[in-house]
Amino acid sequence: MKKLNLKNDQLQLYKRENSNLWQIKLKLPKQKAIRKSSVSKILEEAKRIALKMYARILKTKKQFFKINKNYNYKKIHLIESSKLNKKEIECFLKESIKYIKFNKKNLKKSNLLEGKTIFNLFFEDSTRTRTSFEVAAKRLGADLINVALKDSSINKGETLLDTMTTINSMSPDVLIVRHPEEGISKKISKIVNACVINAGDGSHEHPTQALLDALTIKNKFKKFSGLKIAICGDILHSRVARSNIEILSTLGSSINVIGPKTLIPKDVLKRKVNIFYNMKDGLKNCDIVMMLRIQKERIVGTHIPNEKEYFNKFGLDYKKLSYAKKKAFVMHPGPMNRGVEIDSKLADDVTRSLIQEQVTMGVAIRMACLEILINNRDKNGN
Ligand code: CP
């Protein structure tokens, strides 16, 4: 018998000795196998027929979500964590739960956002945020366009707002923006019709990172009140710290901020946090230790001693982690500077580190963000 695999063992063509015709075998995970004749003797034609049948059947197997269109979050943009109240934050967390389950399935494809157009507009480097928005959009059936801004007409002198107006004329549904300028997503949201998601604006805010961190904590601890969370390191330049302080304190956790005096901004006092300048005191009784990246690209002047000295004082290793609760977990938004703010072995220790879990939660929370914002916009008749 001749046999040919077309799609990772899910789709095969075979021809028995006593037959001229190619047969199709389609076996999707947890489904009964379907066997059918391609009614063709010619391999290329049989392949075309089999692939067409595979695409048609896969489409009918796409997940249809029942969604709640009466969200507690009513806006069409997500720009600042500081503007979110408890019910709004809980709305994003609640809608993410179905996506955590969905993302574990073998077939991860839904029609929910079919026909919607989403632009990733990253003016700063990114791995996690950009790719997780891309994965989230594609799993929900939307079309996602990654704009290569390093090769865009901004290099020819076009202003950022002109670029946004140009993209707005292509009728996008969502613009996901990362940019070094603080407040830029807010400005963009005022001149476009699309939903705008702030994927990081300078040292200001990164709301979807803080939401995914909250989702990671919720999954582990099932609660926020009564938790003591330490946020350690370069608070001054960290949009992740700002967004997390807002979201986690609104949810009822107590926040300790730890770092060298030069990396803790004065305005952090306005937020409800306890400030420590050494790890031993700051980590006492903490349930979670969230480390921050030293933002070398934003540091001007001498905010920190050399990296070795910084690691000795503020880098998290097993010894410093022992100052926290016995079963405390470690988080880091990434990318990490191993050996600068975190010990490499500890970062990879899955019994203590939630770093990979944070990335997994990032896809689920971003699926929920896209669902909520797009449905709110559709509801408003935009
Ligand atoms: N945490 C975070 O924003 O990572 P990226 O810079 O890789 O997107």
Side-chain angles (χ1 to χ4, degrees), residues 122 125-130 178 199 206 209 239-240 333-335:
F122 279 62
D125 295 343
S126 168
T127 300
R128 280 144 285 267
T129 314
R130 187 178 56 75
R178 171 169 289 190
H206 191 353
Q209 176 68 45
R239 52 195 178 210
V240 175

Side-chain angles (χ1 to χ4, degrees), residues 109-123:
K109 197 75 178 170
S110 146
N111 293 2
L112 191 71
L113 299 184
E114 204 163 72
K116 302 294 180 189
T117 310
I118 300 174
F119 279 80
N120 254 344
L121 299 156
F122 279 62
F123 296 82

Side-chain angles (χ1 to χ4, degrees), residues 370-382:
L370 294 174
E371 172 203 313
I372 294 168
L373 299 186
I374 290 178
N375 276 294
N376 285 349
R377 182 169 175 268
D378 285 351
K379 214 167 141 185
N380 293 349
N382 287 305

